[in-house]
Amino acid sequence: MIVKNNFYIITRGPGAGKTTLLNELRKNGYNCVPETARNIIKEQVEAGGRALPWDDTRAYSDLMLSRSVQDFINLKDREDIYFFDRGIPDTYGYEVLMGFDIGGVLKNAVEQYRYNPLVFILPPWKGIYETDSERKQDFQTAIDTYKVMVDVYKNLGYIPVEVPLLTVSERAAFVIRELK
């Protein structure tokens, strides 16, 4: 087991302002690891691939897991603070949402690669929710995803900390205060 208390996950359902918050933390000098899911979608669309959340969801999930583990391993020797735009347990949550049987590889990954116990989770926020070419889910899906992520993180031994619905600078300040 590798435990990295300097690795923090920021997660949520779709469209809750996570990327905006991470960009603000980056502006404040923090290291941020980008989300793998959107990169996979862009790559698959450009290549005509099927590993997409609206096509081959199993292949999409497998790619998310593989890339999330690789991000963790690539940074495991770093000692400064890193914020991850989602983490390995998010793949677990995705598979719960999809109704998949959770496989041994995923179970092992969430046990072997451990982040700081505090996980920052952004609640659904109808006022900022938008869909786009990569985010096709409706707002109810955002609510459902949020609930599953809270449960999954709790069940995996993490402590979800809900980030309040505030301006982006206030949200960043909240997260930074919680680190102490």
Side-chain angles (χ1 to χ4, degrees):
M1 178 186 299
I2 302 170
V3 178
K4 294 297 292 180
N5 282 317
N6 57 313
F7 287 6
Y8 292 88
I9 295 172
I10 296 182
T11 190
R12 50 73 173 142
K18 179 179 56 62
T19 303
T20 303
L21 172 58
L22 284 153
N23 288 337
E24 184 72 14
L25 289 166
R26 189 176 292 112
K27 282 189 221 171
N28 282 286
Y30 288 95
N31 302 301
C32 297
V33 179
E35 177 181 23
T36 60
R38 278 199 177 245
N39 289 337
I40 292 167
I41 292 170
K42 286 177 187 172
E43 291 168 8
Q44 289 294 305
V45 168
E46 288 173 7
R50 295 192 55 229
L52 294 160
W54 54 85
D55 192 355
D56 187 344
T57 53
R58 169 52 72 193
Y60 174 69
S61 184
D62 290 347
L63 277 175
M64 281 195 307
L65 177 60
S66 173
R67 299 231 183 129
S68 295
V69 167
Q70 195 58 52
D71 285 343
F72 190 103
I73 290 170
N74 288 344
L75 298 168
K76 72 178 174 48
D77 295 327
R78 305 287 176 93
E79 295 302 323
D80 38 345
I81 292 174
Y82 278 83
F83 288 104
F84 285 73
D85 188 336
R86 297 188 174 172
I88 296 165
D90 282 82
T91 302
Y92 196 104
Y94 179 74
E95 293 204 2
V96 168
L97 279 165
M98 296 290 94
F100 293 165
D101 289 330
I102 308 299
V105 172
L106 178 53
K107 286 179 183 175
N108 289 337
V110 296
E111 291 172 9
Q112 182 169 354
Y113 304 107
R114 302 291 297 181
Y115 303 78
N116 188 288
L118 292 182
V119 173
F120 297 99
I121 187 160
L122 284 67
W125 190 349
K126 192 160 184 84
I128 65 169
Y129 189 82
E130 295 178 351
T131 58
D132 60 31
S133 63
E134 296 157 9
R135 181 188 302 128
K136 299 177 185 234
Q137 306 97 327
D138 62 14
F139 188 68
Q140 184 58 52
T141 302
I143 294 168
D144 296 342
T145 302
Y146 170 80
K147 290 176 182 176
V148 166
M149 288 303 169
V150 169
D151 288 344
V152 162
Y153 273 99
K154 282 181 181 178
N155 290 337
L156 293 175
Y158 289 95
I159 305 163
V161 175
E162 187 172 292
V163 179
L165 305 179
L166 302 166
T167 67
V168 67
S169 60
E170 290 169 326
R171 281 180 143 189
F174 173 85
V175 168
I176 292 165
R177 276 193 312 272
E178 289 293 315
L179 297 181
K180 299 171 173 93

